[in-house]
Amino acid sequence: MAAAVKHPEVLAAKLASMTVPEGGAWASEARKTAQARTEATGLPARSDEYWKYTRPDAWTAPEAGFSGALPASDVLGEGAVTLYFVDGVFDAEASDDPAIAGASVELLSAAAAADLHWAKDLYGVLEQRGQSPVARPMAALNTAFAAQGVVIHVTGKAEKPLRICYRSTGGECAMHHLIKLDKGADLTLLEEGAPAARSNIVMEVEVADGAAFHHVRLQGPEDARQTLSHIFARLGTESELRSFTLSVNGAMTRNEAVVELTGDDAKILVGGAAVGDGAFHHDDTVFITHDAVNCESRQVFKKVLRNGATGVFQGKILVKPDAQKTDGYQISQSLLLDDDSQFLAKPELEIYADDVACSHGSTSGAIDEEALFYLRSRGVPEGDAQDLLVLAFLAEAMEEIEDESLAETLTEQLAVWMKKGR
Amino acid sequence: MLEIKNLHVKLEDEDKQILKGVNLTVETGKVHAIMGPNGSGKSTLSYVLSGRDGYEVTDGEASLQGEDILDMEPEERAAAGLFLAFQYPVEIPGVGNMTFLRTAVNAQRKARGEEELSAGEFLKVVRAKAKELEIDADMLKRPVNVGFSGGEKKRNEILQMAMLEPKMCILDETDSGLDVDAMKLVAEGVNALRDAGRSFLVITHYQRLLDHIKPDVVHIMADGKIVKTGGPELALEVENNGYADILAEVA
């Protein structure tokens, strides 16, 4: 028997505030079943174990608590084809021509309007798979109501990175991206900026055998940003996915990654560095399922928190009975710059195979006073010395970005923001 | 250069007096050595002068080139020309040695109103000085002191000193943990920096470092005070007879 829906009035109010976008038959059907999924579980509540550390009402409330323009971020553009979205709406004029050799790029609105489209086999499919063993109603809600997004079919090695650059004048949006990588295909996707004051973003990524998907995301210093994001991915044999997120401030952020390793010898990295100051709440929630032999998964998250900021990490590795030779690694660390800040971590391993190597570690620490004094005794002012140590702490996570010039750009930008924020 | 008068220092968290009236004047261009048994307060003196937390000055004063330094931040003291070569240099994972050196050099130049060194200029200078100390390119690239041997750490301290060109150098047991060859190398590095405008305060347990860095004046410290001052022969006396005779003599 299905459990009773908690707080049905919250769900009813939320649904009443939303509009189902127009679309063709396949899209309408996918959206309808997604809404049914949401209705079956209800919206997340504070009492849900899965939302223990982060208040879901930032996103479940019908009205966003904030409106007003957020600062634009335009850092990662070099060499990339950029698509701009303003409050979730495509800005054709500002955007580059989305023609990239090796990939075809469309808008979700166009794909959804078509009667037949490959997107039918991906839209809401991985999201639905990701509803078990833990329900993620906000993602189902996204599938039901998102009107905009980017639909990418990668057939070979994409000649250039594709960048989705978000701009916001306030308000809220739901966006849903689909990325399908054929055998041996390769794409780098960059995401940058605040999609809206309050946003709900879902990305479904199908990585076929031997394909590689690189994802670097920058959530800039938009103090009022409330971002909820889900990445649902499925990896085939010898494929690879690397997703890294740098977050600086933002009021409420929850980045979820739900990954299934279904082909042998696949590799996944999910990593992030976050720097939060004051009214900042940042949650990284990761669920990785090993369902094939000899796969490798890495989770590397570092957070620097000050002035009462809160960091959350919930990371799980599930190793199914046949997923022998699994190599699972998970580390989450925080640097607390004062006594008011907190880091809440819930690392979980659930292992049913007997020949695996899984390790996890979680630490919270303060700045190394010895190192701080050493730097100051050499003439480095206290603030600069602290920044140096903070960047050094984050460096281990930033190193997970494969593209060195991207890593350098992000590190430099981070240093600038930190200096400004002091 | 450095003038310390009646300096009294206690631990901040404990009611424990460490320095009980230190008087010391290091003239410009001179090398002074402080010797003394364990727990006499030698290292505390170096930390208090460089501005480390955890100590409370209860009486007395210390000035560098006539400027009171005890109220300054550590970085201000460094910019004023004070340098402490640490007994235990700190490892800083994630910060490259070169970045560290350049940040420090340019921070001090900025504090003194001088122009910052460009990357190219800096590299040229640092390479030349590193070579003299037998510090290879790899040590410059690695994180500060991480994985360095005891000797490498001490040479790295002297490299920092050479790059920062301080007026007043305090060497806190720079000889500890060094073999004879490493000690010679470090001493040569220090001697290369000796000039008429720069002073040194060499803190050590043993006379052997002073064979290489020849002091002008030797002080004996015991129980938080300078108890005896003399020439280089005083160090030899310690070497031959230990501290007991001297301490008995001044008691």
Side-chain angles (χ1 to χ4, degrees):
Chain A
M1 198 182 90
V5 171
K6 274 171 273 181
H7 309 294
E9 71 288 355
V10 177
L11 175 64
K14 184 76 185 176
L15 292 177
S17 74
M18 304 183 81
T19 320
V20 180
E22 282 180 31
W26 74 264
S28 297
E29 182 59 27
R31 284 168 173 150
K32 207 158 64 182
T33 54
Q35 184 169 337
R37 281 199 289 284
T38 317
E39 282 165 349
T41 52
L43 294 180
R46 197 83 206 282
S47 54
D48 292 345
E49 176 68 18
Y50 207 55
W51 286 86
K52 191 173 172 182
Y53 302 122
T54 299
R55 297 183 70 93
D57 33 325
W59 297 283
T60 56
E63 297 293 329
F66 170 86
S67 68
L70 294 168
S73 165
D74 216 334
V75 176
L76 303 177
E78 208 180 304
V81 168
T82 298
L83 303 180
Y84 287 95
F85 286 83
V86 181
D87 297 325
V89 178
F90 182 58
D91 182 345
E93 208 155 289
S95 299
D96 294 331
D97 174 3
I100 302 177
S104 87
V105 180
E106 289 172 79
L107 294 178
L108 175 65
S109 48
D115 283 336
L116 282 173
H117 200 281
W118 63 261
K120 173 178 183 287
D121 297 326
L122 186 53
Y123 190 84
V125 172
L126 298 184
E127 172 261 295
Q128 183 176 6
R129 289 178 67 89
Q131 297 294 338
S132 159
V134 182
R136 297 162 216 276
M138 294 309 293
L141 192 72
N142 174 293
T143 302
F145 291 97
Q148 291 264 10
V150 182
V151 173
I152 310 164
H153 184 190
V154 192
T155 50
K157 184 168 169 36
E159 162 202 28
K160 285 179 187 171
L162 179 70
R163 180 174 69 133
I164 301 174
C165 192
Y166 303 109
R167 296 271 163 83
S168 172
T169 62
E172 69 176 317
C173 78
M175 293 182 72
H176 197 119
H177 307 304
L178 298 178
I179 299 115
K180 176 177 153 75
L181 293 112
D182 288 351
K183 275 188 183 176
D186 190 319
L187 175 74
T188 297
L189 179 71
L190 310 172
E191 271 187 290
E192 174 173 6
R198 182 169 76 164
S199 60
N200 178 347
I201 309 293
V202 166
M203 181 185 290
E204 292 181 278
V205 191
E206 182 85 74
V207 190
D209 297 353
F213 180 60
H214 315 267
H215 175 229
V216 174
R217 178 165 54 183
L218 175 57
Q219 298 175 324
E222 308 99 1
D223 290 337
R225 159 170 52 79
Q226 295 180 335
T227 300
L228 173 64
S229 78
H230 288 83
I231 297 172
F232 295 95
R234 182 162 60 182
L235 276 78
T237 304
E238 288 178 12
S239 67
E240 186 175 9
L241 188 156
R242 298 180 74 86
S243 173
F244 185 90
T245 303
L246 172 64
S247 300
V248 181
N249 285 0
M252 285 292 275
T253 306
R254 171 147 158 153
N255 294 327
E256 289 200 33
V258 184
V259 180
E260 279 182 280
L261 296 152
T262 58
D264 296 349
D265 305 306
K267 282 183 187 173
I268 165 90
L269 160 92
V270 191
V275 179
D277 193 345
F280 165 93
H281 184 106
H282 184 99
D283 178 337
D284 287 299
T285 291
V286 179
F287 197 116
I288 292 177
T289 304
H290 281 262
D291 198 10
V293 175
N294 202 31
C295 291
E296 197 183 305
S297 69
R298 280 175 75 76
Q299 300 172 46
V300 180
F301 289 91
K302 295 227 183 192
K303 294 179 174 66
V304 178
L305 306 164
R306 75 171 101 193
N307 293 325
T310 298
V312 176
F313 173 76
Q314 301 188 102
K316 177 155 184 172
I317 304 173
L318 169 63
V319 181
K320 295 216 173 161
D322 293 330
Q324 301 295 1
K325 309 280 181 199
T326 286
D327 182 357
Y329 175 77
Q330 182 192 80
I331 187 150
S332 64
Q333 296 183 312
S334 72
L335 181 62
L336 304 174
L337 297 181
D338 52 50
D339 293 342
D340 301 331
S341 302
Q342 61 171 347
F343 177 57
L344 306 161
K346 194 170 84 174
E348 281 181 284
L349 300 177
E350 192 177 333
I351 301 171
Y352 296 100
D354 53 15
D355 182 15
V356 302
C358 283
S359 62
H360 70 88
S362 184
T363 62
S364 285
I367 204 112
D368 181 347
E369 292 292 337
E370 290 281 317
L372 192 65
F373 173 64
Y374 191 63
L375 289 166
R376 294 178 70 191
S377 79
R378 298 303 182 243
V380 182
E382 189 175 10
D384 292 349
Q386 184 165 305
D387 283 359
L388 256 182
L389 294 176
V390 164
L391 288 172
F393 169 78
L394 295 175
E396 203 188 322
M398 303 292 282
E399 279 164 14
E400 298 292 339
I401 303 171
E402 212 173 20
D403 182 327
E404 280 177 24
S405 83
L406 259 180
E408 210 170 292
T409 303
L410 283 176
T411 303
E412 278 166 18
Q413 186 59 48
L414 180 58
V416 171
W417 281 333
M418 285 193 336
K419 196 154 190 157
K420 255 192 217 162
R422 288 212 301 267
Chain B
M1 172 68 69
L2 178 68
E3 230 180 322
I4 303 168
K5 284 186 198 155
N6 192 33
L7 188 63
H8 286 71
V9 171
K10 68 180 271 293
L11 290 180
E12 212 166 54
D13 298 337
E14 266 178 74
D15 204 20
K16 190 175 172 192
Q17 199 74 30
I18 312 275
L19 300 183
K20 302 171 179 173
V22 174
N23 288 291
L24 179 68
T25 302
V26 182
E27 307 83 4
T28 304
K30 298 289 183 194
V31 175
H32 284 225
I34 296 185
M35 303 181 74
N38 283 329
S40 57
K42 303 187 300 292
S43 285
T44 297
L45 178 63
S46 73
Y47 287 142
V48 169
L49 291 174
S50 56
R52 187 186 178 123
D53 281 347
Y55 302 100
E56 189 185 327
V57 175
T58 52
D59 200 6
E61 52 194 78
S63 63
L64 184 70
Q65 294 184 302
E67 229 181 323
D68 178 12
I69 55 169
L70 292 180
D71 285 333
M72 291 184 184
E73 298 295 336
E75 56 268 34
E76 293 169 340
R77 300 179 199 208
L82 188 78
F83 181 92
L84 169 66
F86 281 53
Q87 183 180 359
Y88 304 109
V90 180
E91 297 186 4
I92 315 181
V95 178
N97 209 13
M98 196 74 106
T99 307
F100 163 64
L101 281 168
R102 196 168 151 217
T103 307
V105 167
N106 281 335
Q108 290 205 15
R109 291 182 74 96
K110 201 172 153 194
R112 289 195 289 258
E114 298 163 14
E115 203 146 312
E116 296 188 4
L117 282 183
S118 74
E121 286 169 308
F122 173 80
L123 208 61
K124 218 166 113 185
V125 181
V126 82
R127 278 197 182 134
K129 297 198 170 181
K131 199 173 164 195
E132 284 168 20
L133 288 159
E134 295 182 16
I135 289 173
D136 60 21
D138 182 53
M139 260 176 78
L140 289 173
K141 258 189 243 160
R142 269 152 49 191
V144 180
N145 294 324
V146 176
F148 286 26
S149 71
E152 287 174 333
K153 283 181 180 169
K154 296 298 170 78
R155 277 187 276 149
N156 201 31
E157 292 293 286
I158 305 304
L159 175 63
Q160 292 164 40
M161 194 161 88
M163 290 303 299
L164 295 169
E165 300 181 327
K167 292 273 172 251
M168 178 74 230
C169 309
I170 304 172
L171 278 63
D172 186 9
E173 302 204 14
T174 294
D175 50 341
S176 71
L178 293 188
D179 60 28
V180 183
D181 292 339
M183 185 152 63
K184 266 180 88 173
L185 200 60
V186 164
E188 277 165 21
V190 172
N191 287 330
L193 288 168
R194 285 179 79 157
D195 80 20
R198 183 172 290 130
S199 309
F200 290 85
L201 186 60
V202 181
I203 295 171
T204 181
H205 266 297
Y206 304 107
Q207 193 265 338
R208 54 178 191 170
L209 179 66
L210 304 179
D211 283 342
H212 302 287
I213 305 173
K214 299 234 183 305
D216 299 301
V217 181
V218 175
H219 307 274
I220 306 295
M221 194 166 183
D223 193 27
K225 279 184 187 170
I226 304 286
V227 293
K228 192 169 181 180
T229 297
E233 73 284 352
L234 192 52
L236 289 169
E237 196 186 323
V238 169
E239 180 79 356
N240 294 328
N241 306 330
Y243 291 109
D245 285 5
I246 297 171
L247 298 185
E249 181 192 317
V250 298

